[in-house]
């Protein structure tokens, strides 16, 4: 029984790690129907697989297309697992509200961060693109978010990040949420200038930074 358990988890881990999107749905369903605990699949296969693909990306052994395939495989598996989850027993790493700031319609990088966050066990509320400051603030309040993620790809829209941070200050929630910023034109110095808690340059770094910010 132990060997069967280990093999099942290993197969799902490898399937997600290698981005085998054609195989992951059937494999996940077969494991669930074989009495695997849904949280067990998340904790011992999906999260470790996304952690490994992130580590490979950091070390130059994997690239963005590999991460996108792994992320897609993880999301397919997660969609099959969700109906089996008991909300009372589900353990979340933390809650993240994320979006691309007002005036900016780019979302590929943001969506990769979302997938990596979900793969690491975060509950992610993805607000999409062209998000005004009041929508960010309301989402943080509604979901009692631990982290607010702001994305921008244009130099003309990156200043909207400071607008959002100021809106959080006015709403009295700035000290209750950690704010992370990212995107092609963003830098560490810009992040500090506008009062963000952290800047991250890629999806894997975003996950590691998010965990550090909330002490996980």
């Amino acid at each position: 029984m132990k060997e069967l358990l280990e093999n099942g988890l290993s197969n799902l881990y490898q399937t997600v790690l290698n981005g085998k999107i054609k195989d992951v749905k059937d494999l996940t369903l077969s494991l669930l129907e074989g009495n695997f605990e849904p949280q067990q699949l998340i904790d011992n296969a999906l999260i470790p697989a996304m952690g490994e693909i992130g580590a490979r990306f950091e070390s130059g052994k994997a690239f963005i297309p590999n991460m996108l395939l792994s992320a897609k495989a993880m999301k397919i598996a997660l969609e099959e697992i969700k109906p089996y989850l008991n909300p009372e027993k589900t353990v979340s790493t933390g809650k993240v509200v994320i979006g691309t700031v007002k005036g900016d319609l780019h979302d590929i990088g943001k969506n990769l961060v979302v997938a990596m966050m979900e793969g690491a066990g975060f509950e992610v509320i993805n607000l999409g693109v062209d998000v005004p400051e009041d929508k960010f603030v309301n989402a943080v309040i509604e979901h009692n978010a631990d982290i607010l993620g702001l994305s921008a790809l244009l130099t003309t829209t990156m200043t909207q990040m400071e607008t959002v941070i100021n809106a959080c200050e006015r709403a009295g929630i700035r000290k209750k949420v950690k704010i992370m910023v990212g995107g092609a034109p963003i830098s560490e110095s810009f992040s500090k200038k506008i009062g963000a808690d952290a800047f991250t340059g890629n999806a894997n770094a975003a996950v590691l930074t998010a965990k550090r910010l909330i002490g996980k």
Side-chain angles (χ1 to χ4, degrees), residues 24 38 49 64 75 107 120-121 150 153 155 164-166 171 176 212:
V24 70
I64 287 179
K75 288 182 74 69
D107 68 352
L150 306 176
L153 193 69
T155 55
V164 176
I165 293 173
N166 290 339
K176 299 177 182 179
R212 175 178 59 79

Side-chain angles (χ1 to χ4, degrees), residues 7-50:
N7 286 342
L9 293 172
S10 177
N11 287 342
L12 183 57
Y13 169 87
Q14 291 294 338
T15 299
V16 172
L17 178 62
N18 295 318
K20 295 182 178 179
I21 56 177
K22 293 182 179 179
D23 302 332
V24 70
K25 180 177 180 178
D26 289 343
L27 175 58
T28 304
L29 283 173
S30 69
L31 293 176
L32 289 166
E33 291 166 0
N35 296 320
F36 277 79
E37 290 291 331
Q39 192 67 45
Q40 189 177 42
L41 298 184
I42 294 172
D43 293 342
N44 298 308
L46 301 190
I47 291 177
M50 295 306 291

Side-chain angles (χ1 to χ4, degrees), residues 96-114:
V96 179
V97 167
I98 190 170
T100 304
V101 296
K102 184 179 178 180
D104 202 318
L105 301 176
H106 296 87
D107 68 352
I108 293 177
K110 171 186 64 64
N111 288 344
L112 183 53
V113 171
V114 169

Side-chain angles (χ1 to χ4, degrees), residues 169-215:
E169 290 278 5
R170 290 194 301 272
I173 62 170
R174 178 63 187 93
K175 293 181 179 180
K176 299 177 182 179
V177 64
K178 299 296 185 181
I179 298 179
M180 296 171 52
V181 296
I186 312 304
S187 64
E188 186 71 39
S189 60
F190 177 77
S191 169
K192 291 179 179 178
K193 179 183 176 182
I194 63 174
D197 293 295
F199 156 74
T200 59
N202 61 65
N204 190 57
V207 171
L208 297 175
T209 301
K211 288 183 175 181
R212 175 178 59 79
L213 287 175
I214 62 174

Side-chain angles (χ1 to χ4, degrees), residues 8-155:
L9 293 172
S10 177
N11 287 342
L12 183 57
Y13 169 87
Q14 291 294 338
T15 299
V16 172
L17 178 62
N18 295 318
K20 295 182 178 179
I21 56 177
K22 293 182 179 179
D23 302 332
V24 70
K25 180 177 180 178
D26 289 343
L27 175 58
T28 304
L29 283 173
S30 69
L31 293 176
L32 289 166
E33 291 166 0
N35 296 320
F36 277 79
E37 290 291 331
Q39 192 67 45
Q40 189 177 42
L41 298 184
I42 294 172
D43 293 342
N44 298 308
L46 301 190
I47 291 177
M50 295 306 291
E52 175 62 21
I53 193 67
R56 291 185 183 184
F57 176 78
E58 288 285 345
S59 64
K61 295 178 181 178
F63 304 94
I64 287 179
N66 305 114
M67 293 181 73
L68 288 171
L69 283 172
S70 292
K72 187 171 183 179
M74 182 276 300
K75 288 182 74 69
I76 293 171
L78 203 55
E79 286 303 311
E80 300 306 319
I81 292 170
K82 280 179 180 178
Y84 289 81
L85 286 169
N86 181 341
E88 295 180 359
K89 293 183 178 180
T90 302
V91 180
S92 171
T93 305
K95 286 187 180 181
V96 179
V97 167
I98 190 170
T100 304
V101 296
K102 184 179 178 180
D104 202 318
L105 301 176
H106 296 87
D107 68 352
I108 293 177
K110 171 186 64 64
N111 288 344
L112 183 53
V113 171
V114 169
M116 292 295 288
M117 288 279 196
E118 290 177 337
F122 284 94
E123 180 183 344
V124 182
I125 298 90
N126 184 359
L127 301 181
V129 300
D130 192 22
V131 183
E133 61 268 25
D134 59 332
K135 190 172 181 179
F136 279 117
V137 169
N138 291 338
V140 169
I141 295 170
E142 177 186 350
H143 298 282
N144 193 27
D146 302 295
I147 291 173
L148 173 59
L150 306 176
S151 175
L153 193 69
L154 305 174
T155 55

